[in-house]
Amino acid sequence: MVSTEQIDLSKLPQHIAIIMDGNGRWAKKRILPRLIGHTTGVKTVKKIVEFARKLNVKVLTLYAFSAENWQRPEDEVSGIMKLLKVYLANETDNMINNGIALNVIGDISRMPEELQKDIKNAVEKTKNNKAMILNIALSYGARQEILRACKILIDKGIKNPTEKDFSDSLYTAGLPDPDLLIRTSGEKRISNFLLWQIAYSEIYVTDVLWPDFNEEEFIKAILDYQKRERRFGKIA
Ligand code: IPE
Ligand code: IPE
Ligand code: MG
């Protein structure tokens, strides 16, 4: 058993990013439709957002829907869009009460129009909250984000950009890079997530499927992170 007390608060990752994978496999194991896996995954999202806030994590980034996920069957995609709508309707007040500012990264112009409005609304309503930033990656792809940043720099006439200029042109402008990147469900790949920002993130992969992920598994990831020596190319 692990507990919150084991966490060294002076070494808490400021920014945790999570590739929330495994909803489909969770459902398949139970001979249930994939969408039940996504519905159960939303419950984990609520739990983990609440817990990260309690721990005082400053930025939590959740990969919810990738640019490539649009290629899934139409009923799965529309089901996920509906779940997002319900999530925003249910959780915006909780975010306000808990000091959480919602930020969405990705090309939301591809989302249904009504959902775009809901997203903008929730972002607007929570924008003055200071305790934690909840970044949700929707219709997000890192390569697309990098190309978009290049276009922004070109439009600004910046011919010789610095790393800072580049970072400032990403969806994550102004945020610290993730210290810890968690992927559930065992796959050892990045799947087009935050390619620029994870240059020096510590990676933690667990076999636990996202709907089964919980506070205890989250603590395990943080404890594992706290054992690492981050060198950033230097020597001790
Ligand atoms: C992650 O679970 C959620 C999304 C990508 C939307 P998956 O749906 O990818 O679940 P698996 O990988 O098929 O188990
Ligand atoms: C990554 O999971 C995207 C999200 C978790 C939203 P995928 O299930 O789409 O990734 P691949 O296809 O296994 O690489
Ligand atoms: Mg998957």
Side-chain angles (χ1 to χ4, degrees):
M1 269 295 277
V2 291
S3 74
T4 319
E5 288 79 69
Q6 289 169 266
I7 297 174
D8 176 352
L9 293 175
S10 71
K11 274 170 48 184
L12 191 70
Q14 267 203 85
H15 182 174
I16 300 178
I18 309 181
I19 303 173
M20 309 186 289
D21 198 18
N23 294 347
R25 274 162 281 176
W26 184 92
K28 193 170 180 204
K29 262 176 48 184
R30 291 164 178 77
I31 328 173
L32 291 167
R34 293 180 60 84
L35 205 58
I36 303 289
H38 296 310
T39 310
T40 313
V42 175
K43 292 188 186 158
T44 307
V45 170
K46 290 184 193 174
K47 251 190 284 186
I48 293 304
V49 168
E50 198 175 300
F51 190 56
R53 171 65 198 92
K54 228 183 262 169
L55 288 176
N56 220 8
V57 170
K58 287 296 153 204
V59 186
L60 179 69
T61 299
L62 302 178
Y63 202 6
F65 191 81
S66 75
E68 289 72 28
N69 288 150
W70 288 112
Q71 299 167 72
R72 293 192 180 191
E74 143 68 30
D75 61 333
E76 180 170 348
V77 170
S78 62
I80 292 173
M81 294 303 139
K82 280 188 197 122
L83 284 174
L84 282 166
K85 195 170 168 52
V86 174
Y87 177 78
L88 290 174
N90 290 342
E91 294 305 311
T92 308
D93 283 346
N94 274 345
M95 289 181 205
I96 295 170
N97 294 335
N98 291 299
I100 300 171
L102 176 71
N103 184 45
V104 169
I105 62 173
D107 180 10
I108 65 159
S109 71
R110 293 180 74 181
M111 319 279 289
E113 247 170 65
E114 219 184 302
L115 187 54
Q116 290 184 39
K117 270 190 221 150
D118 294 349
I119 291 170
K120 284 176 193 152
N121 237 324
V123 169
E124 179 62 29
K125 275 192 183 163
T126 61
K127 73 175 182 202
N128 294 322
N129 294 343
K130 293 280 179 280
M132 181 173 94
I133 294 171
L134 172 63
N135 254 332
I136 304 189
L138 292 176
S139 186
Y140 173 88
R143 286 186 168 182
Q144 294 85 338
E145 178 187 36
I146 286 170
L147 278 178
R148 176 179 171 273
C150 293
K151 289 174 194 155
I152 291 172
L153 292 168
I154 292 168
D155 287 348
K156 285 189 181 160
I158 302 177
K159 292 212 177 78
N160 192 12
T162 60
E163 286 189 14
K164 173 144 193 329
D165 292 329
F166 202 86
S167 295
D168 287 347
S169 307
L170 296 170
Y171 289 121
T172 49
L175 300 179
D177 288 336
D179 300 296
L180 170 62
L181 171 67
I182 299 172
R183 181 164 186 149
T184 59
S185 303
E187 237 68 79
K188 294 177 185 69
R189 57 174 170 255
I190 300 298
S191 302
N192 205 13
F193 192 41
L194 303 176
L195 295 178
W196 170 277
Q197 298 90 332
I198 60 169
Y200 270 104
S201 303
E202 295 296 331
I203 299 175
Y204 178 88
V205 178
T206 170
D207 285 332
V208 174
L209 305 173
W210 180 251
D212 292 328
F213 195 77
N214 56 22
E215 289 88 343
E216 192 178 340
E217 296 300 328
F218 194 58
I219 294 172
K220 280 189 204 163
I222 295 173
L223 293 178
D224 193 88
Y225 163 86
Q226 294 192 325
K227 282 192 281 195
R228 315 267 182 103
E229 187 196 351
R230 301 187 76 188
R231 287 192 286 272
F232 300 97
K234 294 172 256 185
I235 53 174

